[in-house]
Amino acid sequence: MTTRIRNAGALAFTCALSWTMAATVPALAQTEMRAPKGPIEITVGSGAGGSPDVIMRTMAKIMNDGLVENPIVVQNRTGGGHSNAYNYVLGKKGDENVLLTLASPVFTTPIVQGTPSVIDQVTPIAGFVQSELVLLTNPDGKFNTLEEFVAAAKEQPGRVRIAGGASGGNDHLATALVEQAADIKLTYIPHESGSAAQATFLGGNVEGHFATLAEGLSLIESGKAKPLAILSEKRRTEPGYKDVPTAKEQGVDVVYLQFWGVAGPPGLDPAVAAWWADKFQKASETQAWKDTIARNLQLSTFYGLDDAGAYFKREQDTFRRLLTSVGLAKN
Amino acid sequence: MSILELLGQGFATVLTPAGLGFVFLGVLIGQIVGALPGIGPAAGMALLLPLTFGLDPAIAIMMLAGIMYGGQYGGTLTSVLINVPGEASGVMTAVDGHKLAREGRAGTALSIAAIGSFIAGIGAVIAVTFITPTLSDFALRFNAPEYFLLALLGVTATASLGASPVRALMAGVLGLMIALVGADPLTGAPRLTFGQPALFEGIDFIPVAIGIFGIGEVLASLERSHAMEPIRTRFRDMLPKMSDWVATRAAILRGGIIGLFVGIMPGAGASVASLLAYLTERKFSPHPERFGKGALDGVAAAEAANNSASHGAMIPMLALGIPGSASTAVLLAALILHGVRPGPMLMQQESTLVWGLIASMFVGNLFLLIINLPLAPLFAALLRVPYVYLAPGILALSLVGAYAATLDLGTVWMCIVFGVLGWLMIKFDIPRPPLVLALVLAPMLEMSLRQSLLLSFGSLSIFVERPISAVLLVVVLFSLALPVYGALKRSRART
Amino acid sequence: MRLLAALPALFMIGLSLLVGLGTMGLRYWDGVTPGPAFFPVWLAAAGAVLAVILLVEQFRGHSLGDLDFPDGAGFLRVGATLAAMVGMGLVTPIVGMVPAVALFIGFMLTLVLRQKLVPSLLTAVGVAVGVELVFVRWLGVSLPAIAFPF
């Protein structure tokens, strides 16, 4: 099971490589492009301040700094596990003035609710930012490595606790992956938000907590947390993380990437979709975007128009498999 | 560097033309946005966030924070004048504040609310200045078991929010039942959604509050012609008298302290703070029978508590990077967008920004007091507009506000449905505040009980082993036992 | 009148049944913690008990509550107001929200509340313009716009 996941990751990686090579050959990028007219609304299903919101607001700011003339507004259509946002965009067939932010709930909510897949209906444009997770433990706790953590959970199944965000969210799925890969049983304690889970962790109530690298770094630097493992393919190179081994190095074969992307409504003119894919690519090559990625310790593998669809479908399959394994999937 | 030197540096950032100008702009926007039903400070900050992109990060954060606490002052207006709390934290203000407005004392209520908010706000900022690290450590000792007992205290206390405890509790249970709708927060299993995807995320607080309070109220007033008279306000009733201040200063102090402590807990918030402050105040008040019928000290305590809670929420945000409220979550996002990484290192790495922000809160609260005191009578004079003209406007604004909160027409329908429920509750003499408060407390109650037992692997001893939890448990048991004991004593005295 | 006074309690009993039956398929206990059906079961029980207490009190003649129902004209006004709100919700996707606000206020003032025509229309237009300025122009909220382009 875990090998399939790793393969998916590896496949994504090769795809990204081949795309980059394709992009360097100008003749291949000859899709017809057409700019939409009028103001653009980027619909975000999270509230202001959520990761997808921050990412899209940063993107919008960069694009309106000379790349795109159409004024871009980020609108938060919160509620329903992003379903208010995606249902709004699904209802705007062919509309050139609205885009949907893709975040994991856009994939997981339909699976959990048993409604038709969203990604199969919208027009995928690009996937452009990913984030790795780090498993943290208490600084004065008894674990120093993932191996010790796993051994403790093996000895006393269910006695090692992880505080995380909503049930079915990224950290829940990452927990499930670790459980499967190491063949252990953990106690996952869901919270109303990621920051509530962080408070539970910082209060010393649990043994483990997944954080994004940026969140994790300041906790580690201030001595409030100790890193056990990064759930990625290879180690990071930044000073704060270069000594933190991957889960794979410690015998737990898990790679998990959170990712965000953008799609147009169903039936969007391919020329407009191509134009947007081009703009998102240009935006993610700007220094401002690279600085943001570096500051937030994220990855910026770019999946353009040609691969975005296949990439998102693969991720959807992964989500479905994981949600089935934790007993949440309905279809 | 000592704290006072750092604070001095902060004031140097604020006391510039740009600093003062943007702080003033922020609090003014907050005042207006807070007064719109549906759009609270958090939504207002999010909507206006892009406007700050060109600014220096420190100035931008000061302005956004101004919107945050300015919203608390602005929310008082709608609660008192038209009985529509824009946010959960305004419910307790509406209970007595609107009754006072009906008596023609809207100006007094608004002025006392502004003074109370100001004093509690400044007190909370002083706490932020000097004891943020201590308080943030204290806040972390609050977790699931403590939150459960706190929520239990709040829910059982709703029994006292009406003439008849049975009716009040029934309204509370109704609120808890409404909160059941949607995906179970712990396992994600759909509950009472009847196959409707729209109900999956549950029923939002905003349409319920707008419907039950605002629309229900207007429907009840529209049904007869004698209610159509404008509410009489005499000018000399518009300004607070010295006696009003004397009667409420203790309430402001107690409310402010309660608000600060509840506000710093990442899992509670301004609404729990104002409820607890209100209930505490009724215990201390020389005239508890006035509560629910227009008690000025009730308004003062609730307002002091919600403002100091909204400032207190800054403490876990600055010290740990954990937002204590929806508004501080937007503030964190703004930091990230301006290239500042929040977290436990924020105060060391960005000391200019952090101390500028703290200094700006002193200045901003002063601005808000200066804006609100002279304008309170003016706002109160709005009630001189004939009610027939006011009523359709309130209804329309409520529906637009509900839409703006989620950008979904479903919210508007929800609002109308709960408007009818609110009207029926008035007609059948079922008190409305317990319903709305129970709705706010329900997720905290259920989630934290289940989290507690997950943390303790199923052992109930977690509630007595943790010191703070044990104390709260005793408080809860007392608050449950006292009315029963009182009733027994009364019935024995009768026989 | 007694039957009318008993309505809230009867409604609560019905609701408790609905909550109890609606969560039948869910687990009451889930490993070491209460499951999704735990709170619903207790709430349904609490609701039913409270309703029965209220019924008993009312049967004994206490706690009838302060029932206060309007006359026929009042009922008509409330009904018309509700209809106007529903109407506003229905026309919003077609004509846009700002014009819907103007229509709603115009309808309420002239037909339901029987005010003079000119001030009513001025109020309607004034509030709609205010909504447009504050919500759309200033805050940038995308309220539903008119559905058919000119």
Side-chain angles (χ1 to χ4, degrees):
Chain A
M1 227 170 198
T2 46
T3 33
R4 260 182 63 193
I5 269 290
R6 202 200 53 210
N7 283 347
L11 192 65
F13 189 64
T14 16
C15 275
L17 266 183
S18 62
W19 193 90
T20 333
M21 284 187 289
T24 50
V25 186
L28 280 177
Q30 282 304 318
T31 332
E32 194 195 335
M33 289 184 200
R34 182 171 66 79
K37 280 193 198 68
I40 306 297
E41 175 189 319
I42 300 187
T43 303
V44 181
S46 80
S51 308
D53 176 71
V54 172
I55 288 167
M56 277 309 176
R57 283 180 195 272
T58 313
M59 241 329 165
K61 190 176 154 200
I62 290 175
M63 285 188 164
N64 273 164
D65 270 351
L67 266 176
V68 173
E69 277 175 21
N70 317 48
I72 301 176
V73 189
V74 174
Q75 288 280 7
N76 305 90
R77 296 180 186 271
T78 54
H82 286 219
S83 68
N84 280 349
Y86 65 64
N87 284 331
Y88 174 79
V89 176
L90 287 177
K92 294 257 168 192
K93 288 194 174 44
D95 192 315
E96 295 178 4
N97 299 82
V98 59
L99 294 175
L100 173 68
T101 310
L102 299 177
S104 55
V106 175
F107 297 79
T108 56
T109 304
I111 299 175
V112 172
Q113 295 190 10
T115 49
S117 153
V118 174
I119 202 68
D120 294 350
Q121 298 173 65
V122 292
T123 311
I125 290 172
F128 54 89
V129 53
Q130 300 83 24
S131 183
E132 295 146 299
L133 293 175
V134 58
L135 176 60
L136 301 172
T137 192
N138 316 112
D140 43 2
K142 54 186 172 182
F143 308 120
N144 289 307
T145 62
L146 183 59
E147 279 125 342
E148 290 173 20
F149 188 84
V150 167
K154 269 228 166 77
E155 208 170 291
Q156 289 188 301
R159 286 271 153 171
V160 177
R161 298 163 290 191
I162 290 195
S167 179
N170 280 298
D171 23 10
H172 192 189
L173 300 181
T175 307
L177 272 177
V178 170
E179 284 181 316
Q180 290 169 11
D183 191 23
I184 50 173
K185 175 86 191 77
L186 301 166
T187 293
Y188 182 78
I189 305 178
H191 287 72
E192 44 284 27
S193 67
S195 45
Q198 199 171 323
T200 297
F201 169 71
L202 291 177
N205 301 294
V206 295
E207 285 75 31
H209 173 61
F210 284 107
T212 62
L213 296 189
E215 288 165 356
L217 188 62
S218 55
L219 295 179
I220 296 166
E221 278 178 346
S222 61
K224 293 186 187 298
K226 186 161 65 180
L228 288 178
I230 293 188
L231 302 190
S232 53
E233 203 64 45
K234 54 182 199 305
R235 288 194 191 195
R236 296 287 301 199
T237 51
E238 289 85 359
Y241 277 115
K242 68 177 169 32
D243 298 326
V244 181
T246 62
K248 258 169 94 173
E249 286 176 51
Q250 305 181 68
V252 180
D253 197 353
V254 173
V255 171
Y256 191 87
L257 283 186
Q258 255 181 291
F259 65 92
W260 296 273
V262 65
L268 180 66
D269 183 347
V272 175
W275 184 85
W276 273 119
D278 179 57
K279 293 297 175 200
F280 271 94
Q281 194 202 349
K282 289 211 170 84
S284 52
E285 282 162 4
T286 57
Q287 195 54 43
W289 181 254
K290 284 181 181 155
D291 289 346
T292 310
I293 293 287
R295 202 167 44 234
N296 295 321
L297 303 159
Q298 287 165 322
L299 300 172
S300 58
T301 312
F302 192 87
Y303 300 91
L305 199 56
D306 300 331
D307 337 280
Y311 167 63
F312 292 136
K313 278 207 168 59
R314 274 198 308 277
E315 295 292 347
Q316 174 170 261
D317 293 339
T318 310
F319 281 129
R320 180 166 292 133
R321 197 174 52 71
L322 284 173
L323 286 168
T324 311
S325 78
V326 295
L328 283 173
K330 258 203 173 169
N331 70 359
Chain B
M1 221 187 299
S2 79
I3 286 177
L4 285 177
E5 279 173 278
L6 288 164
L7 188 63
Q9 271 188 2
F11 272 109
T13 323
V14 182
L15 299 177
T16 55
L20 288 174
F22 280 103
V23 171
F24 182 75
L25 194 63
V27 297
L28 189 66
I29 291 173
Q31 173 90 33
I32 299 169
V33 163
L36 296 174
I39 298 195
M45 287 160 76
L47 289 168
L48 296 166
L49 190 55
L51 299 184
T52 69
F53 282 162
L55 302 175
D56 173 66
I59 299 281
I61 299 299
M62 286 180 201
M63 177 178 144
L64 288 168
I67 301 180
M68 180 178 89
Y69 50 84
Q72 292 293 350
Y73 286 78
T76 316
L77 285 178
T78 42
S79 294
V80 170
L81 295 180
I82 57 174
N83 206 8
V84 184
E87 273 210 303
S89 61
V91 172
M92 298 320 298
T93 312
V95 171
D96 285 87
H98 189 65
K99 295 270 166 45
L100 285 167
R102 289 254 147 146
E103 292 169 13
R105 300 182 67 203
T108 312
L110 290 176
S111 311
I112 286 293
I115 294 172
S117 295
F118 172 75
I119 294 172
I122 292 292
V125 186
I126 292 175
V128 174
T129 309
F130 292 100
I131 45 177
T132 286
T134 324
L135 282 180
S136 68
D137 286 346
F138 175 75
L140 283 182
R141 298 177 57 183
F142 266 79
N143 207 267
E146 289 79 17
Y147 288 135
F148 171 68
L149 293 169
L150 211 55
L152 195 63
L153 194 63
V155 169
T156 51
T158 56
S160 57
L161 292 178
S164 143
V166 177
R167 287 165 183 273
L169 276 176
M170 233 164 72
V173 168
L174 183 57
L176 293 173
M177 284 177 170
I178 292 170
L180 287 177
V181 175
D184 166 32
L186 214 76
T187 63
R191 275 195 310 208
L192 304 172
T193 56
F194 306 105
Q196 297 294 314
L199 290 177
F200 203 79
E201 185 85 340
I203 293 172
D204 192 27
F205 164 79
I206 287 173
V208 178
I210 292 180
I212 296 254
F213 279 97
I215 295 179
E217 187 78 25
V218 175
L219 286 178
S221 320
L222 278 182
E223 71 191 17
R224 65 199 62 221
S225 39
H226 63 76
M228 298 284 188
E229 296 294 310
I231 299 168
R232 298 226 167 273
T233 41
R234 284 169 305 176
F235 189 76
R236 68 182 169 87
D237 286 342
M238 286 183 179
L239 291 168
K241 289 186 283 287
M242 202 54 199
S243 59
D244 292 329
W245 157 247
V246 173
T248 53
R249 58 189 178 187
I252 290 171
L253 191 67
R254 283 188 287 262
I257 293 172
I258 293 172
L260 177 66
F261 276 96
V262 178
I264 60 172
M265 299 173 201
S271 46
V272 181
S274 60
L275 171 64
L276 290 181
Y278 180 88
L279 294 168
T280 312
E281 209 41 50
R282 192 171 47 190
K283 291 253 184 289
F284 280 99
S285 174
H287 47 80
E289 73 288 346
R290 288 282 298 153
F291 276 66
K293 301 193 183 85
L296 196 57
D297 40 356
V299 174
E303 277 300 305
N306 72 29
N307 199 40
S308 77
S310 89
H311 286 81
M314 300 288 279
I315 287 176
M317 186 205 113
L318 292 176
L320 304 164
I322 294 175
S325 61
S327 319
T328 40
V330 180
L331 215 50
L332 275 185
L335 284 173
I336 299 172
L337 284 170
H338 280 280
V340 176
R341 187 195 295 148
M345 304 299 280
L346 186 71
M347 292 185 92
Q348 278 101 315
Q349 287 171 350
E350 299 285 345
S351 79
T352 324
L353 186 149
V354 170
W355 288 99
L357 174 62
I358 294 175
S360 81
M361 295 198 288
F362 284 104
V363 176
N365 272 291
L366 188 63
F367 280 151
L368 281 163
L369 186 70
I370 296 172
I371 297 174
N372 277 281
L373 273 189
L375 289 186
L378 199 69
F379 289 130
L382 274 180
L383 293 176
R384 289 184 161 239
V385 175
Y387 195 75
V388 270
Y389 281 90
L390 220 47
I394 296 173
L395 292 176
L397 263 187
S398 298
L399 296 182
V400 173
Y403 179 85
T406 55
L407 301 182
D408 179 19
L409 265 181
T411 317
V412 173
W413 297 120
M414 203 73 103
C415 224
I416 298 175
V417 169
F418 281 102
V420 176
L421 183 66
W423 177 68
L424 287 174
M425 287 175 79
I426 299 176
K427 296 291 98 186
F428 283 102
D429 195 25
I430 307 281
R432 293 169 293 162
L435 187 154
V436 178
L437 288 166
L439 182 65
V440 176
L441 292 170
M444 188 169 152
L445 184 73
E446 179 173 18
M447 192 87 170
S448 54
L449 172 64
R450 293 161 76 182
Q451 284 168 340
S452 304
L453 291 176
L454 277 172
L455 284 172
S456 69
F457 309 111
S459 161
L460 284 171
S461 61
I462 189 167
F463 292 107
V464 283
E465 278 167 1
R466 298 165 64 103
I468 300 178
S469 163
V471 172
L472 282 172
L473 187 63
V474 173
V475 175
V476 169
L477 291 178
F478 256 102
S479 79
L480 287 177
L482 274 180
V484 177
Y485 176 74
L488 281 179
K489 220 167 109 181
R490 266 199 306 278
S491 70
R492 201 168 303 161
R494 245 183 273 151
T495 50
Chain C
M1 208 59 193
R2 275 253 161 120
L3 185 68
L4 196 63
L7 272 183
L10 296 177
F11 172 77
M12 198 65 201
I13 290 177
L15 202 65
S16 299
L17 277 176
L18 181 76
V19 168
L21 294 176
T23 53
M24 284 261 278
L26 300 169
R27 264 171 303 176
Y28 175 76
W29 205 260
D30 190 4
V32 296
T33 80
F38 178 85
F39 266 73
V41 165
W42 284 96
L43 274 181
V49 168
L50 285 169
V52 169
I53 294 177
L54 191 61
L55 279 181
V56 170
E57 279 185 358
Q58 287 178 334
F59 186 73
R60 288 193 187 159
H62 310 302
S63 193
L64 280 169
D66 185 10
L67 300 192
D68 172 31
F69 282 92
D71 49 11
F75 259 120
L76 210 62
R77 252 197 306 264
V78 172
T81 308
L82 275 175
M85 283 195 284
V86 170
M88 177 177 156
L90 289 176
V91 302
T92 292
I94 306 166
V95 301
M97 195 160 228
V98 172
V101 165
L103 288 176
F104 170 77
I105 293 182
F107 175 82
M108 282 294 294
L109 284 176
T110 53
L111 294 176
V112 182
L113 301 170
R114 315 219 167 240
Q115 296 300 304
K116 290 200 188 78
L117 190 65
V118 175
S120 301
L121 294 184
L122 283 179
T123 312
V125 173
V127 175
V129 168
V131 167
E132 166 80 18
L133 287 179
V134 173
F135 283 91
V136 181
R137 297 288 161 86
W138 183 51
L139 290 172
V141 175
S142 68
L143 297 180
I146 194 157
F148 39 87
F150 294 100

